[in-house]
Amino acid sequence: MDHLFSPYSHKSLELKNRVVMPPMCQYSVTKKDGIATDWHYVHYVSRAIGGASLIIIEMTDVEPDGRITDNDLGLWSDEQIAPLARIVDACHQHGAKVGIQIAHAGRKAEDAEVPVAPSAIPFDENSKTPRALSTEEVSAMVEKFRAAVERAVKAGVDTIELHGAHGYLIHQFQSKLTNKREDEYGQDRTKFGVEVINAAKSVMPEDMPLILRISAKEYVEGGYEVEESIEFSKAYVDAGVDIFHISAGGEGPIAAAGRPGTHNAYQVPFARAYKQAFNIPVIAVGRLDDAALANSVIGNEDADLVAVGRGMLRNPYWALEAAAHLKKETTVPQQYVTGFPK
């Protein structure tokens, strides 16, 4: 019977357990140059020491104006590769595999003088009105994603995650709320995402899996539901997505009528629906900090991997603690063995 601490592999990605640290922005690039700092090194490597099998580095942007804030990571320049490679190498030394989330914030780029988006629709009344990208600029944006993925591969990552969730650029193209275009990128709202997937795959090793994080439901008035997202996600699977990372929301202020639950595991049904629809691996996320609950998600075959976000912000050694609580075997660093008696 599979459980949270059983190994898992897909294509070239071989994991010692099912515990994933999801991408969470640190807003800690103090020089605003997109280059990872000592904070990022300590932050990620401590979670590798703490037993997570897959660490997905936070949203890392394909151009300066693609950042949520100017304190975010970037991969638009070769000088940003080596500091990331240092983090990847250290995580590998402690038994963790590393992914990185490649993204563009689109209309949610707070520090961009004029953000860009599929259409000139602001996020809310307090946000800047973005400029709609021309058809040629959309094609150029695909190339920026390709170049960033290529740099990530040079940094030594084990997998790539594209950010198609939470109201950022790929999500903006796939949503009828934010994509009012009349060109081919409006006629087929998955076209941009598909082209980015194809571009990413063109520079990734053939056996490296590509993850797509997606909002399965929008939680806004007139937004799409999980049935519709499964339907349009078929295009992404056909383009080469290997693993879905299932989240929700982010494409507008939450509508009172569609407010998400606040209970533990409230997004697991979305992960289950995607797993059943596509029969490819899925990562579940959302209030899964309780070890027994996270274990049940694997044991009940609702998902293949479990991402624990806030729990790992509170405790870098969440995975080691969870294994001890569940009485499961895991590798404890020699220096910490006395803290985890058998």
Side-chain angles (χ1 to χ4, degrees):
M1 177 71 71
D2 288 332
H3 56 78
L4 194 60
F5 289 90
S6 56
Y8 185 77
S9 65
H10 187 67
K11 299 182 76 169
S12 65
L13 186 65
E14 297 183 359
L15 305 176
K16 63 183 180 181
N17 61 47
R18 310 300 184 93
V19 180
V20 178
M21 180 185 182
M24 293 174 285
C25 287
Q26 297 297 292
Y27 305 110
S28 295
V29 182
T30 51
K31 293 183 179 179
K32 302 185 178 182
D33 55 8
I35 295 175
T37 67
D38 284 346
W39 173 268
H40 298 95
Y41 181 88
V42 172
H43 174 64
Y44 291 112
V45 177
S46 61
R47 274 71 186 177
I49 294 170
S53 67
L54 175 60
I55 292 166
I56 306 177
I57 293 173
E58 66 203 79
M59 181 170 168
T60 301
D61 299 291
V62 304
E63 66 174 359
D65 280 350
R67 294 172 290 180
I68 303 171
T69 77
D70 288 347
N71 299 107
D72 292 346
L73 291 177
L75 261 178
W76 62 79
S77 167
D78 286 352
E79 68 178 347
Q80 295 159 336
I81 297 172
L84 286 172
R86 175 175 174 248
I87 293 171
V88 173
D89 291 345
C91 288
H92 285 165
Q93 290 173 26
H94 296 289
K97 300 300 173 68
V98 183
I100 189 167
Q101 187 182 72
I102 304 298
H104 190 293
R107 69 176 187 167
K108 295 178 84 172
E110 296 172 8
D111 289 341
E113 186 173 345
V114 181
V116 297
S119 302
I121 304 169
F123 177 72
D124 59 24
E125 65 275 9
N126 299 314
S127 300
K128 298 171 184 173
T129 299
R131 178 179 63 81
L133 291 161
S134 70
T135 303
E136 293 74 22
E137 286 174 324
V138 178
S139 296
M141 187 67 73
V142 173
E143 168 58 22
K144 292 176 183 179
F145 271 86
R146 187 207 62 79
V149 170
E150 187 171 36
R151 293 186 181 101
V153 171
K154 288 179 180 177
V157 299
D158 304 286
T159 184
I160 298 291
E161 177 170 291
L162 298 175
H163 202 345
H166 300 166
Y168 300 118
L169 192 61
I170 293 174
H171 186 170
Q172 289 164 31
F173 270 92
Q174 77 195 10
S175 175
K176 60 192 173 213
L177 298 175
T178 47
N179 184 348
K180 306 293 187 181
R181 302 176 68 91
E182 296 181 354
D183 65 359
E184 60 262 40
Y185 293 101
Q187 293 160 10
D188 176 2
R189 290 193 297 271
T190 65
K191 181 176 173 61
F192 177 67
V194 165
E195 290 185 355
V196 170
I197 291 163
N198 288 331
K201 298 287 272 195
S202 75
V203 291
M204 292 168 59
E206 189 174 347
D207 61 347
M208 179 185 286
L210 176 67
I211 304 169
L212 178 64
R213 194 168 211 192
I214 195 158
S215 287
K217 176 184 168 93
E218 286 192 303
Y219 288 118
V220 290
E221 201 68 48
Y224 62 72
E225 299 289 331
V226 66
E227 296 80 10
E228 185 179 347
S229 71
I230 286 173
E231 186 61 32
F232 66 64
S233 292
K234 291 175 181 176
Y236 299 147
V237 174
D238 290 344
V241 167
D242 297 292
I243 300 171
F244 278 115
H245 190 172
I246 306 299
S247 189
E251 195 45 300
I254 292 171
R259 192 168 295 277
T262 57
H263 51 279
N264 291 348
Y266 72 99
Q267 293 183 143
V268 169
F270 304 149
R272 183 190 309 123
Y274 264 75
K275 185 173 173 61
Q276 292 172 347
F278 295 110
N279 196 31
I280 66 172
V282 299
I283 306 171
V285 67
R287 298 185 183 271
L288 297 173
D289 300 357
D290 180 85
L293 176 59
N295 190 51
S296 73
V297 171
I298 302 300
N300 292 332
E301 299 183 348
D302 290 326
D304 302 277
L305 301 165
V306 171
V308 178
R310 291 176 179 84
M312 282 200 201
L313 290 182
R314 293 192 300 271
N315 179 7
Y317 312 106
W318 185 92
L320 298 180
E321 292 272 16
H325 177 77
L326 297 169
K327 297 181 169 52
K328 302 294 185 183
E329 287 291 328
T330 194
T331 303
V332 177
Q334 185 61 38
Q335 299 91 331
Y336 293 168
V337 165
T338 53
F340 295 90
K342 302 231 177 180

